[in-house]
Amino acid sequence: MYKLIDGKAHSARLRGEIKLRAEKFTEKSGRKIGLAVVLVGDNPASQVYVRNKIKACEETGIKSFANFLPESATQAQVEELVKSLVNDANVDGILVQLPLPAHLDEKAIMSLIPVEKDVDGFSEQNMGRLCLNEKCLVACTPNGVMQMLRAEGIEIRGKNAVVIGRSNIVGKPMAMLLLNADATVTVCHSKTANLKEICRSADILVAAIGRAKFVTADMVKDGAVVVDVGINRNSEGKLCGDVDFEDVKCRCSYITPVPGGVGPMTITMLLYNTVCAAERSL
Ligand code: NAD
């Protein structure tokens, strides 16, 4: 019988801890922890993400600074805004919602965020530190996966972990985190040969592909832990993951559902990173 990893419950528990830490920070510093969010343009998905992040801040006692610029904003305007947030002592974390409109130089803008305020963990310095297994702010989604694995008491050391997907925001940092936790890690991607066999060797299988129901039972070893990062829509417009949940579940020891698995942890880890950034500034 498989165990469902309840991302909502893990997220709620962690948000409780974050709230307490935020209160302690205010007692010590006399100010609230601050997270600045920058949204350029009117991408509807980005607007939803930003709204959810602001709401989550309010619920945990973190002050949010919402900065909205129009689609037509120039490179200079966005850079000026980010620089002002970098110099603002009330801002502990800066999040620039991606993707930025195509006319903007994303890399140049992101490089303005100093490592200590990079709560998305996407900067070269934070990614580099992660590779070196040094203290850093870790990308939220893979860090959320690690939090859940640890909280469930799932052994990682010495296990075969397979990550499907090599993106800079999920697959690569996920692989690094598992490696740093002493797993033997294989990273698969769209050009991988023998994907099925490699997946079948996994004690821990993480799917971060972006293809609905891609992982089927014949790709899963008996007793595997299956983590589904994917967020897709099926033909009826319903949310579904990269894993064919109904097909795979009986093979697993643990499995994350979609929705209600990895998703709820992502924003929570953003709050977590913001609290860590603030505490380090004291
Ligand atoms: P991406 O498109 O940047 O990367 C997808 C990866 O999948 C690539 O590395 C590619 O090589 C690999 N891939 C594609 N087709 C493949 C195939 N046929 N076989 C093997 N590998 C294949 O996507 P991403 O940003 O890493 O996101 C992946 C998924 O996770 C998406 O569904 C995204 O919506 C979701 N996501 C969820 C959260 C969350 O909070 N739960 C956060 C970020 C991303």
Side-chain angles (χ1 to χ4, degrees), residues 34-107:
L35 173 66
V37 183
V38 176
L39 175 61
V40 185
D42 38 26
N43 178 319
S46 295
Q47 284 174 339
V48 172
Y49 294 143
V50 164
R51 261 206 310 275
N52 288 343
K53 286 167 187 174
I54 291 170
K55 193 164 155 254
C57 281
E58 283 163 9
E59 285 166 10
T60 44
I62 293 173
K63 187 170 168 52
S64 61
F65 299 88
N67 298 272
F68 299 118
L69 289 177
E71 187 84 21
S72 58
T74 63
Q75 182 77 17
Q77 284 170 328
V78 182
E79 288 192 8
E80 199 180 314
L81 171 62
V82 173
K83 282 181 194 161
S84 73
L85 299 171
V86 170
N87 293 322
D88 187 337
N90 290 313
V91 170
D92 299 287
I94 302 170
L95 180 139
V96 176
Q97 185 64 46
L98 301 178
L100 287 169
H103 67 278
L104 295 173
D105 180 345
E106 193 169 289
K107 201 162 182 208

Side-chain angles (χ1 to χ4, degrees), residues 96-125:
V96 176
Q97 185 64 46
L98 301 178
L100 287 169
H103 67 278
L104 295 173
D105 180 345
E106 193 169 289
K107 201 162 182 208
I109 291 166
M110 299 305 279
S111 71
L112 295 172
I113 304 173
V115 63
E116 62 276 8
K117 292 193 180 189
D118 168 37
V119 284
D120 251 342
F122 293 161
S123 68
E124 288 170 10
Q125 293 98 321

Side-chain angles (χ1 to χ4, degrees), residues 49 141 164-171 188-192 195 207-211 214 228-232 242 262-267:
Y49 294 143
T141 301
I164 320 175
R166 59 174 164 184
S167 71
N168 290 338
I169 62 167
V170 187
C188 298
H189 48 79
S190 55
K191 308 291 183 296
T192 297
L195 180 70
I209 312 157
R211 288 180 178 226
F214 183 89
D228 190 352
V229 179
I231 301 179
N232 312 292
D242 289 344
V262 176
M265 287 298 281
T266 296
I267 293 183

